[in-house]
Amino acid sequence: MYEAGVSLGGGCLRGAAHIGALKEIINHNITITHIAGSSAGAVVGGLYACGLQPDKMEDVLESLSIRKHLDFGLNRKGWLKGDKIYNTLLQLTDGKHFSDLDIPFAAVSIDLNSGELIIINEGEVAKALRASIAIPGIFQPVKIGERLLVDGYILNNNPADVVKEMGAKNVIAVRVFSSQKQKESLKGLISYLRRYMDITSTIHTDHLLKSYADLLMDIDLVNVGRFETKSLSSIIYRGQLEARKALAKERAYMFDSHMLYLNHRQIYKDIV
């Protein structure tokens, strides 16, 4: 049986594709020894580490009302307070702490006070997940001790290095994006700021993936927006399909759009 740690990147609602990728990894009898994530990847990874299986995650997502979780705030810290999302995460994680988990897990965040990348691996899991999805300007930051935590997107959007440092012998990283959306013309202030942050994040994250990911699964959700809610089940399926292609035996020694980096080809002999 093949063992690997898993790194899951951000992607807002497109991150639902991570659920499909986890399904396929499990279907290939790969034992997940460690898991870490940023933003949406932190949520999926954290729920799995708490014992929630991918099929159950899909059921929860299908029955979840996104609109009912939009608790608009009246202060200047962010549009959304995030309390409703936190309460749902608290319920889905059964209030577990990191010390309760059978699979070591870590969530990536940034401390606005110090500017440092923060790896959260202790305390309450739900609060860590809430911090990792706290996109500045949209969600209010999460205060933990003296730290004011937000989404780790800019500094590390796919923590393969964290998974390796946690002790994983091999690392499978899953990256979710939309190539068509990235090619669209820039229109207005928001698109300029978003593109600026994308460039910064990509430079940092790509370097880490090249150095630490043994297998990178690229899930290209062509023409799917970050906050699209109408096709979540389709996104999950596409995530599973792309993961299946990346793990397929006939692609074991090929460098194609689904496998960008592969440092240890021997791992496929154990997987398939």
Side-chain angles (χ1 to χ4, degrees):
M1 181 178 291
Y2 179 69
E3 296 183 346
V6 174
S7 171
L8 303 176
C12 297
L13 292 181
R14 289 193 300 232
H18 290 308
I19 298 174
L22 280 183
K23 279 187 180 183
E24 200 60 31
I25 290 172
I26 295 169
N27 288 344
H28 274 76
N29 296 318
I30 299 173
T31 299
I32 299 176
T33 59
H34 306 76
I35 194 163
S38 178
S39 194
V43 173
V44 174
L47 293 181
Y48 180 76
C50 285
L52 202 65
Q53 294 302 306
D55 286 337
K56 180 61 176 178
M57 289 186 212
E58 185 171 5
D59 291 341
V60 169
L61 196 58
E62 289 179 353
S63 62
L64 196 67
S65 172
I66 302 298
R67 289 186 178 182
K68 289 183 179 180
H69 285 77
L70 302 181
D71 50 354
F72 293 97
L74 299 177
N75 59 45
R76 298 181 180 180
K77 295 180 180 180
W79 290 343
L80 302 176
K81 292 185 290 184
D83 293 342
K84 291 184 178 180
I85 289 179
Y86 166 71
N87 288 332
T88 295
L89 291 172
L90 192 62
Q91 180 181 5
L92 293 175
T93 59
D94 290 329
K96 290 183 178 179
H97 286 226
F98 283 84
S99 58
D100 300 321
L101 305 181
D102 293 327
I103 300 174
F105 169 66
V108 173
S109 187
I110 293 175
D111 179 11
L112 288 180
N113 289 326
S114 67
E116 295 177 306
L117 184 74
I118 303 298
I119 309 303
I120 311 175
N121 55 13
E122 60 182 12
E124 186 185 87
V125 176
K127 184 168 286 189
L129 302 185
R130 168 65 180 83
S132 194
I133 64 171
I135 303 172
I138 296 180
F139 287 105
Q140 294 181 13
V142 174
K143 187 173 178 59
I144 299 180
E146 298 300 318
R147 293 171 174 166
L148 196 61
L149 301 179
V150 296
D151 191 318
Y153 173 72
I154 291 179
L155 295 183
N156 191 340
N157 195 39
N158 204 312
D161 58 320
V162 175
V163 178
K164 183 71 76 172
E165 291 169 3
M166 291 168 72
K169 184 177 181 181
N170 300 296
V171 178
I172 297 174
V174 184
R175 178 167 60 182
V176 179
F177 64 99
S178 176
S179 59
Q180 188 62 37
K181 288 291 181 180
Q182 291 175 350
K183 294 177 182 178
E184 290 181 353
S185 60
L186 299 176
K187 298 178 181 179
L189 177 61
I190 294 179
S191 64
Y192 292 148
L193 291 173
R194 185 171 60 227
R195 182 58 181 152
Y196 172 74
M197 291 188 293
D198 284 345
I199 292 171
T200 304
S201 175
T202 299
I203 290 173
H204 286 293
T205 303
D206 279 5
H207 171 72
L208 294 172
L209 289 173
K210 289 178 181 178
S211 300
Y212 296 98
D214 297 299
L215 172 63
L216 174 58
M217 295 179 178
D218 255 353
I219 300 177
D220 186 356
L221 300 172
V222 179
N223 224 18
V224 176
R226 283 181 170 88
F227 299 101
E228 191 165 325
T229 61
K230 296 180 180 179
S231 56
L232 292 178
S233 59
S234 174
I235 288 173
I236 294 172
Y237 174 74
R238 287 166 68 176
Q240 184 172 7
L241 183 61
E242 295 307 308
R244 184 179 303 162
K245 291 178 181 178
L247 292 170
K249 185 173 183 178
E250 60 268 25
R251 294 180 182 270
Y253 303 108
M254 295 173 61
F255 290 87
D256 61 15
S257 61
H258 305 293
M259 300 189 315
L260 298 186
Y261 317 124
L262 178 57
N263 298 328
H264 306 297
R265 295 182 177 180
Q266 177 64 33
I267 68 174
Y268 282 96
K269 294 181 180 179
D270 299 324
I271 293 175
V272 297

